[in-house]
Amino acid sequence: MVSGECVAIANQVPQISEFPKYEGSATDLQPVAQITPEKTPASTEEPDIELTVIDKLLNEPVYSPFRREGTVKDSTRPVYVITGEEMEAQGARTVREALKFLTGILPDGTVGTEVSALSGQFIRGSNSAQVLILLDGRPINDLGSGGFDLSEFTTNIVERVEVLPGGGSTLYGSDAIGGVINIITRRPTEKVTTQAGVTVGAYGLNQQTISNSGKVGNIGWVVGYNRTEAENNYPFSIPEANFKGTRENNDVLYNNFNVKLEANLGKRDTLTLSTLYLGKDQGVPGGVPIPEPLYGQGYFNSLTDSDRKYTDQVLTDLTWNSKLGGGDDSLLTARVYADFFNTRYDSRNSSQARYDNGQTSYGLQTQHSWKFANNQALVYGFDYRNVSATNSTFNFSANTKTVTYDDSISQGAVFARYEISFTPSLTANLGLRQDFSSLTNGSFTSPSIGVKFALTDTTTLRANYIKNFRAPNLFSLYANGGSYVGNPNLRPEKGDSYDIGIDQKLGDFGLLRLTYFNNTISDLIAYNFAVPVATYENIGKIRTTGIEAVLNLQLAKNIYAFVNYTANDPRILKSTNSVEVDKELRFAGADSLNAGLSYETSQGLYAGILMHSLGAYPINNTNTESLSGYTTFDFKMRVSLSDNLILTGSLDNIFNQRYQLFPGYPDGGRVFQVGLSSTF
């Protein structure tokens, strides 16, 4: 399979790419996923058409670099993509798993490899709370405690996922200090289609999915359900603790529903209602205590045989798209959305307490995408989001409830992004955003600039600068736990992201893309224990330098290969602990190498060997503790058994490489899964 990771390369035409030319409604221009083309049935009598590596990569649709639909070749910034088709072939069950082989991101997480494992997104020296998660272009990050767990999203609803490293505050505001991940959901198919599938696998994996999609008249719909269950009771050992056993209390049950309705209000206007329900019930097994070093990262672990976590999330939005004027070069979009997050953690082992987290978000987005000249385009608009969050603890033994925080944040912004092609070879963009916040220090100005220059038809240079920020979350501002308190005077974290790159076409059989980046985060918010009452303070500064490199090749008819490498060097420039200065930031400094060799035909056959390798990395900021790296090999396949029946299978971690992502927390070892799906 051609790797889905895509980076910008210059457009070899003298004007900015036009909006798609369609005869249909405004749906065709709305800033969400394009309709997935139907797969060619296995029995269709057609010649085997070779896929073109360069065309596939450069024409991949992306939204996040522009805040409108475009393609990879239009962007000055590196952006990496995995499509729903690739997720199916790779057997990715969640968005967290789908990011495994992408460039520019360390997605492994820190607490395991099972389907329900908490995700971690480390991009250019930033942590999960510093990466903005978008759903169809609008924010869903938790402003109570920060971040978003990508293992909540099962892939049956996903059209593609985009990873935009280097921040995105100019277009998206707070939390985009390290990068942006945009999850694009599926849209209605042209014909009424039902898809159903069953997957079974190691350690009790049992997954069922069903969806129905189509259009009748001016109404289109997608309705789906995913149920995923697994025991995850695998054997493991922790040599540092002289421990061998079986993972217990590690089961999970997903119940996810999705509904999307589209109404064409004539040929110029479209109204879309989308709702997701994400429900998860899982055991929390904990980690094995590591006795040495004393008070080290794994010293306070404990195994828990009855702790549970329950998650209920509803994400809904209503979007109106309208073509203005008489052509296809002007699109007005207005969206209102409401999200409801509830997480409950029951601890029945040591603390005998229940921890409740709730968040309610209401938001508004309005924007106008306008190509007002052959070589110039403008995207501008207004954003608003209000988030109310609460956190409380109920003590079972004392029968008392303590509220840690109960507060809200209101954020508004105006933004604009201007693009111009000076010549057929030189394109530039300028962006500016002004954020306003109810927080005392929450307002911020975020400029950006990007340039690409085509030296030849095969070689393109590009450069970008973006200023980013992240407002403090409610926990760090207002938490009150007795032994710790929040700090309402925290300043936003600030980021400066630079990157320069070159994209080189290799004849008509390959594409090489290199990016050097420099990402600085100042006023870093961190927990300070060296005060009478522990609190959060602006006590740090980090500078990360590194390289993202991607090579995609077509070696022969239907045979493809890719290699990508991400090198990170995050250095602590400022800290209240002088011992940490000039040391490497924990977890964020691992180097990642991915490679794959695959055979794929246009009839749906796919077979591939994929490698994922993570280098060693420190797990504390003084660099006295570290975890060794690991390398795994996976086999993936997809076979069309008939016109409407597809068999998928995977054998992951073929050589049963065992490792830890955090001291005392094991991986699942070698696992397999087999799936059968039907379309009718």
Side-chain angles (χ1 to χ4, degrees):
M1 173 178 291
V2 178
S3 173
E5 304 147 5
C6 306
V7 195
I9 193 168
N11 199 356
Q12 305 297 325
V13 294
Q15 68 275 341
I16 293 173
S17 297
E18 297 183 1
F19 290 97
K21 297 291 187 181
Y22 294 119
E23 296 298 326
S25 73
T27 303
D28 301 313
L29 294 181
Q30 70 180 16
V32 291
Q34 296 178 347
I35 297 174
T36 304
E38 297 181 9
K39 294 183 177 66
T40 305
S43 61
T44 301
E45 297 295 331
E46 292 183 0
D48 194 16
I49 301 174
E50 291 191 62
L51 303 176
T52 303
V53 171
I54 296 175
D55 289 343
K56 179 178 175 65
L57 295 175
L58 299 185
N59 292 316
E60 191 77 60
V62 288
Y63 176 86
S64 49
F66 316 102
R67 197 157 163 163
R68 63 166 175 81
E69 282 290 352
T71 62
V72 166
K73 66 185 177 184
D74 303 326
S75 175
T76 65
R77 296 190 57 187
V79 54
Y80 309 103
V81 180
I82 183 168
T83 66
E85 185 181 56
E86 291 171 316
M87 296 178 205
E88 177 190 55
Q90 293 180 10
R93 298 161 294 186
T94 67
V95 170
R96 180 190 69 85
E97 294 179 340
L99 301 177
K100 180 177 179 180
F101 300 104
L102 285 189
T103 318
I105 181 172
L106 306 177
D108 295 70
T110 56
V111 293
T113 60
E114 49 270 15
V115 62
S116 58
L118 182 70
S119 71
Q121 298 82 240
F122 297 91
I123 300 179
R124 295 186 179 180
S126 64
N127 59 42
S128 299
Q130 296 165 329
V131 174
L132 178 64
I133 309 300
L134 303 175
L135 178 64
D136 289 328
R138 54 98 167 181
I140 58 173
N141 273 44
D142 182 355
L143 297 190
S145 55
F148 191 94
D149 182 8
L150 294 178
S151 73
E152 302 288 339
F153 283 99
T154 49
T155 54
N156 61 297
I157 65 171
V158 179
E159 177 71 21
R160 69 179 186 267
V161 179
E162 305 167 2
V163 175
L164 183 69
S169 290
T170 301
L171 291 178
Y172 302 108
S174 179
D175 295 340
I177 196 166
V180 174
I181 297 175
N182 190 19
I183 303 167
I184 304 294
T185 58
R186 297 187 183 275
R187 285 183 50 197
T189 53
E190 292 295 332
K191 298 179 181 179
V192 178
T193 303
T194 298
Q195 293 180 316
V198 176
T199 301
V200 295
Y203 306 122
L205 174 66
N206 185 2
Q207 182 181 69
Q208 305 91 40
T209 63
I210 187 168
S211 67
N212 182 265
S213 176
K215 291 183 179 179
V216 175
N218 292 326
I219 303 297
W221 69 89
V222 180
V223 180
Y225 169 65
N226 177 292
R227 181 186 184 276
T228 301
E229 186 176 19
E231 291 298 323
N232 297 316
N233 52 348
Y234 51 81
F236 74 104
S237 64
I238 304 295
E240 298 86 345
N242 194 27
F243 177 91
K244 287 186 178 181
T246 299
R247 204 73 163 133
E248 297 179 352
N249 189 36
N250 201 24
D251 61 297
V252 65
L253 175 63
Y254 288 81
N255 280 288
N256 290 357
F257 299 86
N258 61 287
V259 177
K260 180 174 287 187
L261 302 175
E262 289 184 355
N264 293 333
L265 310 177
K267 291 187 176 182
R268 311 296 294 177
D269 298 272
T270 300
L271 194 65
T272 304
L273 175 65
S274 178
T275 299
L276 301 178
Y277 170 77
L278 309 177
K280 189 164 65 170
D281 175 0
Q282 65 185 108
V284 182
V288 176
I290 306 298
E292 294 181 357
L294 189 65
Y295 307 129
Q297 294 297 302
Y299 184 82
F300 296 100
N301 290 344
S302 63
L303 292 173
T304 58
D305 58 10
S306 58
D307 285 10
R308 307 292 299 179
K309 180 182 177 183
Y310 307 91
T311 306
D312 293 286
Q313 305 188 49
V314 178
L315 303 98
T316 185
D317 62 71
L318 180 66
T319 304
W320 172 56
N321 291 279
S322 180
K323 296 180 182 179
L324 303 182
D328 294 334
D329 54 6
S330 179
L331 178 68
L332 178 66
T333 300
R335 170 188 283 151
V336 293
Y337 59 90
D339 301 328
F340 307 93
F341 301 166
N342 292 285
T343 300
R344 189 180 91 227
Y345 182 94
D346 285 350
S347 176
R348 296 286 185 174
N349 286 272
S350 56
S351 60
Q352 292 291 308
R354 183 180 69 230
Y355 305 92
D356 289 288
N357 292 277
Q359 175 177 297
T360 301
S361 302
Y362 299 100
L364 168 69
Q365 291 181 326
T366 60
Q367 69 178 58
H368 182 208
S369 301
W370 183 24
K371 182 176 178 291
F372 60 89
N374 285 337
N375 67 332
Q376 298 178 74
L378 182 67
V379 178
Y380 63 95
F382 170 77
D383 291 339
Y384 174 77
R385 188 185 186 200
N386 176 271
V387 176
S388 298
T390 181
N391 177 283
S392 63
T393 301
F394 180 81
N395 188 295
F396 291 115
S397 57
N399 197 31
T400 58
K401 179 180 178 180
T402 302
V403 176
T404 307
Y405 62 83
D406 184 358
D407 219 304
S408 64
I409 298 176
S410 293
Q411 299 171 322
V414 291
F415 67 90
R417 182 181 185 272
Y418 169 69
E419 302 174 60
I420 182 170
S421 293
F422 295 104
T423 70
S425 301
L426 180 61
T427 301
N429 61 76
L430 297 171
L432 184 66
R433 180 184 178 102
Q434 179 61 54
D435 277 87
F436 307 94
S437 175
S438 61
L439 301 178
T440 303
N441 299 312
S443 300
F444 202 81
T445 303
S446 305
S448 67
I449 183 171
V451 179
K452 63 178 180 179
F453 178 62
L455 291 175
T456 67
D457 289 342
T458 59
T459 304
T460 298
L461 303 178
R462 47 185 166 76
N464 298 275
Y465 166 75
I466 310 100
K467 191 170 186 64
N468 305 289
F469 82 105
R470 171 179 173 257
N473 60 49
L474 290 172
F475 185 89
S476 61
L477 289 167
Y478 305 122
N480 185 1
S483 60
Y484 60 87
V485 296
N487 180 359
N489 297 315
L490 288 173
R491 299 182 301 277
E493 296 178 333
K494 304 177 183 66
D496 292 285
S497 181
Y498 303 86
D499 64 64
I500 57 174
I502 182 171
D503 302 310
Q504 180 66 51
K505 296 180 182 179
L506 306 175
D508 60 356
F509 64 89
L511 185 64
L512 173 66
R513 299 154 289 167
L514 299 172
T515 302
Y516 167 81
F517 62 84
N518 184 310
N519 204 48
T520 302
I521 303 175
S522 58
D523 283 330
L524 189 71
I525 298 172
Y527 211 43
N528 187 1
F529 293 94
V531 290
V533 179
T535 188
Y536 285 88
E537 294 183 355
N538 297 101
I539 59 177
K541 184 176 182 179
I542 308 295
R543 176 175 293 131
T544 305
T545 56
I547 295 173
E548 297 161 1
V550 190
L551 175 63
N552 295 90
L553 296 170
Q554 182 174 8
L555 301 177
K557 182 180 176 65
N558 298 322
I559 298 178
Y560 305 92
F562 77 89
V563 178
N564 66 61
Y565 179 65
T566 303
N568 291 284
D569 185 17
R571 292 292 161 178
I572 301 172
L573 304 184
K574 179 182 177 182
S575 174
T576 54
N577 183 357
S578 60
V579 179
E580 296 180 351
V581 176
D582 294 329
K583 295 297 194 297
E584 185 177 303
L585 184 68
R586 66 179 194 147
F587 294 110
D591 296 339
S592 177
L593 175 66
N594 300 301
L597 179 66
S598 62
Y599 178 86
E600 183 180 10
T601 70
S602 57
Q603 283 75 36
L605 174 64
Y606 170 80
I609 293 288
L610 303 178
M611 182 197 77
H612 175 61
S613 182
L614 197 70
Y617 53 92
I619 56 175
N620 64 2
N621 287 339
T622 57
N623 296 180
T624 57
E625 296 182 67
S626 64
L627 286 176
S628 58
Y630 62 90
T631 300
T632 60
F633 292 86
D634 303 342
F635 173 74
K636 314 284 187 178
M637 74 165 192
R638 179 184 60 205
V639 180
S640 294
L641 300 178
S642 67
D643 289 356
N644 60 359
L645 196 62
I646 294 177
L647 174 69
T648 59
S650 65
L651 180 62
D652 293 348
N653 198 353
I654 295 172
F655 301 109
N656 201 31
Q657 173 73 51
R658 303 311 296 262
Y659 54 91
Q660 299 171 54
L661 293 167
F662 187 89
Y665 286 79
D667 76 297
R670 183 190 301 116
V671 294
F672 74 90
Q673 65 182 45
V674 178
L676 194 64
S677 62
S678 179
T679 302
F680 51 91

